[in-house]
Amino acid sequence: MSSHPSRGFTLIEAIVLIAILGILATIAVPNFIRLQTRTRTSEALTNLGLLRDAQASAYAELGSFIRAGSAPAGAPGARPRPWVGANVLEFRELLGFAPEGDVYFQYGANGSADAFTLTAMSDLDGAGARAQFGFVHAAPGERVGLAHEFGSCARSGMYDAKTGLTTALDTIGPCGAEDGASRL
């Protein structure tokens, strides 16, 4: 009966294995963070679309667009927050908007008789830089929308990657070139 001594990893094999795992981690982690950022961004784009439609309904019913202060309450961060706070009632009662579950973004709406601006803001990756998305519907014949109480979303429109300018009106999108990108 022949017996073979059991053999484990040599030091070189263990070092090679650790190096391979390190390389895989450096590739996988940034891709995972980008995927998370894209998923969180889709929340803002979807909810801004719902708010845009709610504004159109309000205008058809009332003849004016609606203003609703920022909600949920508190500074937006990288963690989802419950849809609670003082201005939530404005969104629910005036616009019929109440997202299901917690949200990553803080939302705001400014409206007048013939124009409105929507804003969504968050710190998507927890790196401290705020990502902002929005929608600007200018009054007929105008090229700018209404200012909003929070964020710095351009009143002149959303960022247009083709031109590099913030001139896209009646378009849901990022407020600037860096919005929606991970900073990690």
Side-chain angles (χ1 to χ4, degrees), residues 110-148:
N110 193 4
S112 69
D114 52 4
F116 71 94
T117 301
L118 302 171
T119 307
M121 183 170 57
S122 181
D123 179 0
L124 289 173
D125 55 16
R130 298 286 162 88
Q132 298 178 69
F133 297 86
F135 181 88
V136 175
H137 175 75
E142 296 289 327
R143 295 295 308 155
V144 295
L146 302 172
H148 198 271

Side-chain angles (χ1 to χ4, degrees), residues 41 44-45 48 76 105-106 118-124 129-135 148 150-154 158-159 173-181 183:
T41 297
L45 300 178
L48 287 171
F105 284 80
Q106 184 176 39
L118 302 171
T119 307
M121 183 170 57
S122 181
D123 179 0
L124 289 173
R130 298 286 162 88
Q132 298 178 69
F133 297 86
F135 181 88
H148 198 271
F150 80 100
S152 59
C153 218
M158 300 303 99
Y159 177 73
C175 296
E178 296 297 314
D179 291 313
R183 279 133 183 110

